[in-house]
Amino acid sequence: FACTGGAYYLISRSLGPEFGGSIGLIFAFANAVAVAMYVVGFAETVVEMLKESDLLMIDQTNDIRIVGTITVILLLGISVAGMEWESKAQLVLLVILIAAIFNYVIGSFIPMESKESKGFFGYKGEIMMENMGPDFRDGETFFSVFAIFFPAATGILAGANISGDLADPQLAIPRGTLLAILITTIVYLGIAFSTGSCIVRDATGNINSTIVGTLTNCTQAACKSGYDFSSCTSVTKCAYGLQNDFQVMSLVSGFGPLISAGIFSATLSSALASLVSAPKVFQALCKDNIYPSLGVFAKGYGKNNEPLRGYMLTFVIALGFILIAELNTIAPIISNFFLASYALINFSVFHASLAKSPGWRPGFKYYNMWVSLIGAVMCCAVMFVINWWAALVTYVIVLALYIYVTYKKPDVNWGSSTQALTYLQALQHSIRLTGVEDHIKNFRPQCLVMIGPPNSRPALLNLVDAFTKNVGLMVCGHVRMGPRRQAFKELANDQARYQRWLLRNKTKAFYTPVYAEDLREGCQFLLQAAGLGRLRPNTLVVGFKSNWRDGDMKDVETYINMMHDAFDFQYGVVVIRLKEGLDISHIQGQEELLASQEKSATPKEVVVHVDQGKESDADSSKPSSKATSEHNSPAIQKDEEEDRKAPTQPLLKKGRHLTFQAKSPSTPLNLADQKLLAASKQFQKKQGKGTIDVWWLFDDGGLTLLIPYLLTNKKKWKDCKIRVFIGGKINRIDHDRRTMATLLSKFRMDFSDITVLGDINTKPKKENIAVFEEMIEPFKLNDDDMEQDAAEKMKAEEPWKITDNELEIYKTKTYRQIRLNELLKEHSSTANLIVMSMPLARKGAVSSALYMAWLETLSKDLPPIQLVRGNHQSVLTFYS
């Protein structure tokens, strides 16, 4: 089924806007030029008649221009009057054309002696045999003649081009097109064989060319009919015969003027069809807004939505080419454009079959995809044979338009065969990958990022994207909780909404929401089911829970158990912390405000109400309890509308109440939120000549080294140098440094410096130990001061509590985290990023509060830090 747009619609909806947009523009232009070609053909016939009557106005060329201009103006008037007038005019012209064809056929059976000197002898076998072979002259070849003739066969798509005006296009287009091909083929071949069987190629038109007596050296077919036309040579041209007389059909016909009327009918009918087709195709192209600057031509007028502006543009183009006034010059120009269009139509049909889309169900009984491909290849080959440089120009134009549309990425979804083939190839490659064993050389971090709504933690998203983009997989996990019915309803909306947001922000990631009773259960679902085949995450990425001391400790327990679950499922774990925080969902919508304040010296007074009902940097995908009640608030509706308009506008998270009240005392963001907003954008810009400090303290398989290496391969991080810090002994510093340098060289890792920390096991400062003890005081069980039964009961009720025995057992490890923080502040306080081996807590042995205290102490008051722990699977190898 085809709507308005004909060939453009067929190609664009099959191959997508890239090919459709490029070929649609060319096809519309070709139809506009075709108007000029048909009008010039008409004008040449009129001028030829004027010349015979000695009625030329100026000269032959200028008369063609005058007649052509008047004709195209009249045709424009008929077209603008509407499709009803155009259809009536076509019917009248069709009747005249059919009468002219019958007039010719009848005349061909009525030989007249007066016509013999002009080369017409009636049907004779010897004439047909003589004309059967080629006889190209004046440097012409088969393909140069084909280029001139080909536009005569382009009218078969006239019906498809006005598909929007047909009552039943699904039935009318295939039936009409096939009938057009059949009838055109029969008529063209019939007339070619007819003229070739009764008219010789050269004739003088002189009655004195009759043979008197016998000629022994005359071998032409005319000789057997008593005429000698041997005086006609390539040097001395004659005025009559198939090679010389363009009005030869008038000579054969029973009534000559009716043939002229038929020529007028054929040329005017084709010109009228092209004059209607070009604006219709162009209007459909402009309506799709593929080329926004051409949108002015999309407007239609009247009940039939006539493209009057398109008519005027087509008229101007046609008039420009009419002024060339040479049919044989105009015809080859449009042949390449039409051939390119037909090649893509054939290829689009083949492509649809190749994609095996269930929606592609051709109704033609004898359809074969390979015939379509052969047709496309033949069209492309003929383009080069006709005129190689014109073919190259056509291809360059198509390619340039294709690149332009691809770059602009129009927001359309037509279910094209390109999409279907992409899906098919992705499916086939994914299945093929499942039969391939993992290899260390092909390892890449494939991250499951527990981020919640992707726009709520941009720094987390941007940093992970920096080392996974075009390298590995990134899945943005979001756990939906709350009322079941509401959550399921929002899952589908969020899926489309946030995936679209990721694409618009050029983040190569998949958004994957799930519904679960609690965050840990949802994370377990994602850890087990996210991905497809080999395209599955192998690394869990979470933001640091900076509010762990203020919130519900059950949430902290859930947070730590998520990491344990990841290790159980053979995942690596990455924890990312920014000292300013990660979660900006409570201040989203502020960026536009800040930008306007920076641009305007006298900004409008705006008061901003920020709902702090949910603490910043809480669980990475926990929804707000207010999501349901505020879902339809005006602020959110406005934000969703703006999201559709602005590619980089952040979305307002449901559950955040944000209103703007003009003409009120100004309440700017507090300092903490301003820093948070600035920090959230730090990984979007080029990092400059800084350092990435790698603190490789444990052998976890090499993930701690691989991530910084991948970062430095990206444009924004390429100027950063890698510095490596390792633990060691004071008396072995040089040896350890050389050993590590050798290892990194074998791994082919570039580094600027290696520092061996000989004092890593030194006891930390007393004031820092005191700060740590003060931090954990609220979470201590103090079981030494109570009965054993009471202590065990309390520990069972509050498993995150820290026992006195636990503190004593892990005292050395606690001091190590405090000492490492002192060393980090000493050596890496100016780094762009710190990547550090993350300490582990034995499951069931170390309480959640103590483990969070370790992570807090280790990473506080530092530049952006990644705590990394692989699953002990080797990810680096000496071999390339």
Side-chain angles (χ1 to χ4, degrees):
F1 179 76
C3 296
T4 302
Y8 158 72
Y9 185 91
L10 295 172
I11 296 172
S12 63
R13 267 53 177 182
S14 180
L15 292 181
E18 295 84 5
F19 274 117
S22 55
I23 210 64
L25 207 58
I26 286 178
F27 191 70
F29 179 75
N31 273 284
V33 179
V35 176
M37 185 193 71
Y38 296 127
V39 169
V40 168
F42 166 80
E44 283 186 351
T45 305
V46 173
V47 171
E48 193 71 27
M49 295 172 64
L50 293 175
K51 183 180 179 182
E52 290 177 0
S53 304
D54 198 22
L55 294 174
L56 290 178
M57 292 174 279
I58 303 175
D59 56 52
Q60 196 162 342
T61 301
N62 284 309
D63 281 11
I64 290 174
R65 291 169 178 159
I66 294 171
V67 174
T69 301
I70 295 171
T71 304
V72 78
I73 291 173
L74 293 175
L75 292 177
L76 177 65
I78 295 173
S79 301
V80 170
M83 286 301 300
E84 294 178 1
W85 283 93
E86 192 267 346
S87 299
K88 292 175 182 178
Q90 289 283 22
L91 284 175
V92 173
L93 294 172
L94 177 63
V95 171
I96 297 172
L97 183 58
I98 292 173
I101 292 173
F102 277 107
N103 175 45
Y104 164 78
V105 173
I106 293 169
S108 67
F109 288 101
I110 309 175
M112 297 176 64
E113 189 175 340
S114 61
K115 298 179 180 179
E116 290 181 352
S117 63
K118 296 181 180 180
F120 174 55
F121 295 98
Y123 291 98
K124 293 182 182 293
E126 56 270 19
I127 295 178
M128 185 181 73
M129 294 306 297
E130 183 179 81
N131 289 335
M132 192 63 71
D135 183 22
F136 297 109
R137 301 177 186 178
D138 301 326
E140 299 292 348
T141 63
F142 171 82
F143 287 103
S144 65
V145 176
F146 176 84
I148 296 171
F149 173 78
F150 180 75
T154 58
I156 60 174
L157 284 181
N161 291 337
I162 58 169
S163 52
D165 298 298
L166 301 176
D168 186 4
Q170 192 168 4
L171 177 66
I173 289 176
R175 181 181 293 178
T177 302
L178 291 174
L179 282 174
I181 294 172
L182 178 63
I183 294 171
T184 299
T185 303
I186 292 172
V187 171
Y188 284 179
L189 288 178
I191 292 177
F193 274 102
S194 174
T195 55
S197 301
C198 61
I199 307 170
V200 296
R201 284 173 174 161
D202 295 290
T204 60
N206 189 349
I207 194 67
N208 296 325
S209 296
T210 53
I211 298 173
V212 180
T214 58
L215 286 176
T216 57
N217 60 345
C218 186
T219 58
Q220 297 176 345
C223 297
K224 297 179 180 180
S225 300
Y227 280 85
D228 178 16
F229 298 139
S230 58
S231 60
C232 297
T233 64
S234 58
V235 178
T236 306
K237 292 187 178 181
C238 295
Y240 297 95
L242 290 175
Q243 284 275 15
N244 310 299
D245 186 9
F246 292 160
Q247 304 297 326
V248 71
M249 289 185 68
S250 297
L251 174 69
V252 176
S253 65
F255 182 61
L258 190 55
I259 294 296
S260 297
I263 294 173
F264 295 164
S265 174
T267 53
L268 293 177
S269 173
S270 298
L272 196 56
S274 296
L275 187 56
V276 171
S277 297
K280 294 281 186 183
V281 172
F282 193 57
Q283 183 186 36
L285 174 68
C286 296
K287 277 185 176 180
D288 287 335
N289 202 32
I290 293 177
Y291 304 103
S293 57
L294 300 178
V296 67
F297 294 100
K299 184 175 176 58
Y301 297 86
K303 63 178 182 179
N304 292 327
N305 198 34
E306 296 293 340
L308 298 185
R309 297 175 180 178
Y311 282 130
M312 294 308 300
L313 180 63
T314 304
F315 168 75
V316 171
I317 294 172
L319 187 61
F321 279 88
I322 286 171
L323 298 179
I324 296 176
E326 180 58 51
L327 183 65
N328 292 355
T329 302
I330 300 173
I333 294 174
I334 61 174
S335 290
N336 267 311
F337 287 162
F338 276 118
L339 281 167
S341 302
Y342 295 157
L344 276 178
I345 291 175
N346 277 293
F347 182 73
S348 65
V349 173
F350 167 77
H351 197 271
S353 299
L354 188 66
K356 298 178 182 177
S357 172
W360 170 248
R361 299 182 292 274
F364 184 50
K365 182 179 179 180
Y366 303 103
Y367 164 74
N368 185 286
M369 60 184 288
W370 300 108
V371 173
S372 301
L373 179 62
I374 291 170
V377 172
M378 287 179 63
C379 287
C380 294
V382 170
M383 287 174 66
F384 277 97
V385 174
I386 289 175
N387 191 322
W388 67 267
W389 63 264
L392 282 178
V393 170
T394 304
Y395 280 124
V396 167
I397 293 173
V398 172
L399 183 62
L401 293 173
Y402 178 89
I403 293 172
Y404 171 81
V405 177
T406 303
Y407 175 75
K408 287 295 183 180
K409 290 184 176 64
D411 187 16
V412 295
N413 183 11
W414 294 330
S416 67
S417 61
T418 304
Q419 294 172 341
L421 187 61
T422 301
Y423 169 84
L424 185 64
Q425 290 173 339
L427 180 62
Q428 290 173 342
H429 287 307
S430 297
I431 293 173
R432 194 175 302 155
L433 272 175
T434 59
V436 179
E437 292 293 330
D438 286 332
H439 194 282
I440 185 173
K441 290 194 296 185
N442 294 325
F443 178 88
R444 55 195 68 212
Q446 306 198 120
C447 298
L448 170 61
V449 187
M450 298 302 294
I451 193 172
N455 60 327
S456 64
R457 295 168 175 82
L460 181 63
L461 183 74
N462 294 329
L463 185 55
V464 178
D465 182 58
F467 64 82
T468 59
K469 191 172 187 178
N470 299 324
V471 174
L473 174 73
M474 177 161 64
V475 177
C476 294
H478 184 185
V479 179
R480 274 279 182 190
M481 295 171 284
R484 188 182 184 89
R485 184 185 296 272
Q486 180 68 21
F488 283 167
K489 183 179 179 181
E490 291 176 347
L491 278 178
N493 295 334
D494 286 352
Q495 176 69 61
R497 184 185 184 203
Y498 287 121
Q499 189 63 57
R500 191 170 63 246
W501 185 89
L502 288 169
L503 291 173
R504 280 203 298 260
N505 285 272
K506 299 180 180 179
T507 303
K508 295 186 177 181
F510 297 95
Y511 172 73
T512 307
V514 295
Y515 172 78
E517 294 298 328
D518 59 57
L519 183 62
R520 184 183 181 187
E521 183 184 61
C523 184
Q524 289 174 340
F525 292 162
L526 289 168
L527 288 169
Q528 295 176 83
L532 182 69
R534 293 287 181 198
L535 299 176
R536 299 176 63 85
N538 53 31
T539 306
L540 176 70
V541 181
V542 295
F544 182 74
K545 190 173 180 62
S546 58
N547 67 334
W548 68 276
R549 285 178 287 176
D550 305 322
D552 189 343
M553 287 305 294
K554 289 182 180 179
D555 293 338
V556 177
E557 189 80 3
T558 298
Y559 181 77
I560 299 302
N561 284 331
M562 284 168 51
M563 298 188 204
H564 289 311
D565 291 338
F567 289 123
D568 290 342
F569 289 121
Q570 298 298 304
Y571 275 62
V573 174
V574 175
V575 178
I576 296 176
R577 181 178 188 181
L578 272 64
K579 60 185 176 183
E580 297 86 0
L582 291 169
D583 189 357
I584 66 166
S585 56
H586 65 290
I587 56 170
Q588 281 193 9
Q590 299 296 317
E591 295 183 49
E592 186 178 358
L593 171 65
L594 293 178
S596 65
Q597 288 177 344
E598 289 174 2
K599 292 178 182 178
S600 175
T602 55
K604 295 180 180 179
E605 292 183 340
V606 179
V607 63
V608 182
H609 297 289
V610 181
D611 181 9
Q612 300 288 357
K614 178 170 178 283
E615 292 289 343
S616 173
D617 286 315
D619 298 343
S620 65
S621 59
K622 188 173 181 179
S624 168
S625 60
K626 300 181 182 180
T628 305
S629 62
E630 295 185 2
H631 176 64
N632 295 319
S633 69
I636 293 176
Q637 291 177 350
K638 179 183 178 185
D639 185 81
E640 290 177 346
E641 291 173 1
E642 291 177 351
D643 169 58
R644 289 191 289 270
K645 297 176 183 177
T648 57
Q649 176 69 23
L651 301 170
L652 181 64
K653 186 180 178 186
K654 295 172 183 177
R656 303 287 182 265
H657 184 62
L658 184 108
T659 57
F660 296 89
Q661 299 174 357
K663 299 181 181 178
S664 299
S666 176
T667 306
L669 290 174
N670 60 48
L671 185 60
D673 282 343
Q674 289 179 20
K675 290 181 178 180
L676 173 59
L677 201 57
S680 69
K681 301 177 183 178
Q682 64 179 299
F683 299 125
Q684 297 175 6
K685 56 189 177 182
K686 192 173 178 65
Q687 295 301 304
K689 294 183 178 181
T691 62
I692 299 176
D693 288 359
V694 180
W695 290 65
W696 196 22
L697 306 178
F698 313 101
D699 183 10
D700 58 353
L703 187 62
T704 310
L705 277 176
L706 181 61
I707 289 176
Y709 168 76
L710 294 175
L711 278 172
T712 54
N713 283 338
K714 298 303 170 69
K715 186 176 180 181
K716 291 178 181 177
W717 292 85
K718 68 178 183 178
D719 293 332
C720 289
K721 302 296 183 181
I722 294 178
R723 297 192 303 181
V724 179
F725 296 83
I726 60 173
K729 297 181 179 179
I730 296 177
N731 59 349
R732 290 172 54 90
I733 288 179
D734 291 337
H735 176 269
D736 290 343
R737 183 185 292 112
R738 286 194 299 270
T739 302
M740 177 54 65
T742 302
L743 181 64
L744 291 176
S745 297
K746 289 182 178 180
F747 283 144
R748 298 174 301 283
M749 295 279 190
D750 290 331
F751 60 91
S752 63
D753 187 34
I754 296 176
T755 301
V756 180
L757 303 168
D759 55 348
I760 193 171
N761 294 317
T762 303
K763 187 176 179 180
K765 297 176 182 178
K766 290 181 179 180
E767 57 267 28
N768 292 330
I769 296 174
V771 170
F772 179 84
E773 290 176 348
E774 183 182 351
M775 180 197 308
I776 65 172
E777 185 62 35
F779 308 105
K780 290 172 67 175
L781 187 63
N782 295 317
D783 51 323
D784 286 348
D785 300 332
M786 63 179 69
E787 295 292 331
Q788 184 176 353
D789 291 343
E792 289 177 355
K793 182 180 179 181
M794 184 176 290
K795 180 67 175 176
E797 292 174 353
E798 299 177 327
W800 55 84
K801 288 282 188 178
I802 307 171
T803 65
D804 294 334
N805 184 50
E806 182 184 353
L807 273 177
E808 187 61 34
I809 292 173
Y810 295 105
K811 184 176 182 180
T812 302
K813 197 164 187 177
T814 298
Y815 284 178
R816 185 180 179 86
Q817 312 314 316
I818 301 171
R819 177 58 183 159
L820 281 172
N821 181 258
E822 293 173 354
L823 293 171
L824 282 164
K825 290 178 179 177
E826 179 183 344
H827 295 283
S828 298
S829 59
T830 60
N832 292 56
L833 178 68
I834 299 170
V835 181
M836 187 175 196
S837 299
M838 183 171 71
L840 285 184
R842 183 173 298 176
K843 189 175 181 180
V846 179
S847 61
S848 299
L850 180 59
Y851 186 47
M852 282 302 300
W854 287 352
L855 297 182
E856 171 74 31
T857 300
L858 179 64
S859 60
K860 69 178 180 179
D861 301 328
L862 291 171
I865 183 170
Q866 280 187 5
L867 301 176
V868 181
R869 191 69 175 213
N871 60 2
H872 295 285
Q873 172 191 352
S874 295
V875 301
L876 295 174
T877 177
F878 295 159
Y879 308 105
S880 58

